[in-house]
Amino acid sequence: MKYLIGLILCSMLQVCLAKESLPKDCSHLQNATEADFVLFSKKEFIELGECLAVSFIKKSVPLNVIESCSEVDEDRRNILGIFSLSKFEAILIGQCVGAINYIYQHYDNEPVSTYSYRSRQTKRYQCIRGLQAVDILRKSTAKSYSRTKLRDLLCSGG
Amino acid sequence: MNGESTYKPNFTAVDAEQISESKVELKKNKKLNENTDFAFSPSEVSLIQNKRHKLRIFDPEGIYTFKHIEIGYFQSFIHTISLLISLFLIIGFYYLVITGAQQFITGIGRVSDLNVLDKLCMAFIALYGFFKIKKIFNTKVTNFDKRYQIALCANSLNRIVLNYLKLIFFFLAIVLPIRQVQYPEKTVSAALNIFENGVFADSVSIITWFISIIIVVKAFTYCGKGEVK
């Protein structure tokens, strides 16, 4: 009996089976992958998600933005707040936020690179972020996004 | 006629014997009344006699109230088997919940999707159950102690399983028709999917956890009670 319940507890508190290695850019967040209780380390999980999202976009690894951003929306509408947040959901939220912020930092107010020399006045991207951006990504249809697709969705002027 | 009796009371005429006789009669009457009101009729007695040796599987309260009655070896055998089955079901359910909640994230690997409330409640139920079962086996209640302990333990756990099944059927009976009306084109598995993720699932989970904690606490009420020193 004792051992069986011990086994249950062990598998409950078990650290995620981290067989995959983190991307190099995020190796400083290794501690966050080992933590398992959202109540104490929500911020770390979100940071981890942001870092992952940025490195995925850079490496053009497909990123499921819809799932992540619908998780942000779910978190916003929940009655229970942090009590209904899991580690998985926290990382997904981080990914959504990270992707949006990355696109914003990378493209906002940057000149649009067009290969035509006709127009003298350079156009500049105008990007959005925050909840509006979350809603746009949540309602979009494609399953995974590259950087240019995300830019087209979130930025105008291109 | 006007309030005065025509005969004067004659105290001397009353016999001492008569008094005692009437008193005895009164007492008898009283006893009869008591018997009809409070004493058990033969049918009631036989009912209780039958209840004494009944096989109990989902009834920790019954086990506790008839704790002075010896439990037969055959009943004890059935208790043991049902105890093993319930233990297997409970542990298997926990195992499925924990492994089913593992989700894959590229770059990290498998990550648990159990939220804080789930973890707290599961830990509470596991610890509470563990301590209560330990308490059953640590308190001496009757002379045939081992069989009583096994019976109580088995009944409590079976009770939990039974009530949990009832809870699941109750929820399905309420939610599936509603879903059917809302989205007639969806399949059952898609309808069950809303229990797993989303705002609805998170809001319902607090109710289900509350009910399941009540189930567990009520099932273990009789553990460690009635200790004989």
Side-chain angles (χ1 to χ4, degrees), chain B residues 55-71:
Chain B
L55 172 66
R56 290 184 185 74
I57 293 183
F58 301 108
D59 187 14
E61 191 183 357
I63 293 282
Y64 180 72
T65 37
F66 290 97
K67 60 179 181 288
H68 51 285
I69 308 296
E70 190 172 350
I71 297 165

Side-chain angles (χ1 to χ4, degrees), chain A:
Chain A
M1 191 64 220
K2 207 187 284 180
Y3 296 113
L4 285 172
I5 287 171
L7 215 150
I8 295 175
L9 282 179
C10 273
S11 48
M12 242 169 67
L13 303 174
Q14 166 188 57
V15 182
C16 61
L17 307 166
K19 287 282 186 293
E20 278 205 17
S21 56
L22 274 178
K24 261 188 186 170
D25 315 335
C26 304
S27 52
H28 62 286
L29 290 169
Q30 186 67 44
N31 286 338
T33 58
E34 281 155 22
D36 208 38
F37 209 53
V38 192
L39 214 53
F40 306 131
S41 42
K42 181 184 175 184
K43 204 180 140 204
E44 281 84 350
F45 290 149
I46 289 180
E47 274 173 13
L48 178 65
E50 287 177 30
C51 182
L52 278 178
V54 172
S55 75
F56 286 164
I57 293 173
K58 281 182 179 168
K59 288 183 198 162
S60 67
V61 175
L63 187 66
N64 192 346
V65 183
I66 296 179
E67 196 188 354
S68 315
C69 289
S70 54
E71 214 58 65
V72 175
D73 180 61
E74 191 187 310
D75 186 52
R76 197 179 46 188
R77 285 193 290 140
N78 250 326
I79 333 163
L80 294 173
I82 196 169
F83 281 99
S84 59
L85 191 72
S86 66
K87 183 182 177 182
F88 177 66
E89 287 174 343
I91 292 174
L92 286 189
I93 288 172
Q95 284 189 348
C96 178
V97 173
I100 291 170
N101 283 345
Y102 175 74
I103 295 293
Y104 186 82
Q105 280 168 11
H106 201 87
Y107 288 109
D108 191 52
N109 228 2
E110 291 290 323
V112 178
S113 56
T114 44
Y115 297 105
S116 61
Y117 297 98
R118 275 174 235 160
S119 58
R120 287 251 174 110
Q121 212 174 11
T122 48
K123 283 181 183 172
R124 286 178 185 278
Y125 286 115
Q126 294 294 318
C127 296
I128 45 169
R129 58 176 175 177
L131 289 179
Q132 241 184 323
V134 170
D135 283 336
I136 288 174
L137 289 184
R138 200 159 57 85
K139 283 164 190 164
S140 57
T141 45
K143 224 179 177 194
S144 59
Y145 293 93
S146 62
R147 177 163 41 178
T148 44
K149 263 191 190 170
L150 281 174
R151 184 197 65 196
D152 294 343
L153 276 170
L154 294 179
C155 304
S156 59

Side-chain angles (χ1 to χ4, degrees), chain B residues 41-52:
Chain B
S41 71
S43 58
E44 282 173 318
V45 170
S46 72
L47 180 76
I48 290 174
Q49 286 283 1
N50 285 338
K51 285 237 166 167
R52 278 184 157 182

Side-chain angles (χ1 to χ4, degrees), chain A residues 16-20, chain B residues 103-111:
Chain A
C16 61
L17 307 166
K19 287 282 186 293
E20 278 205 17
Chain B
Q103 302 273 352
F104 188 79
I105 294 182
T106 35
I108 299 180
R110 296 199 152 274
V111 171

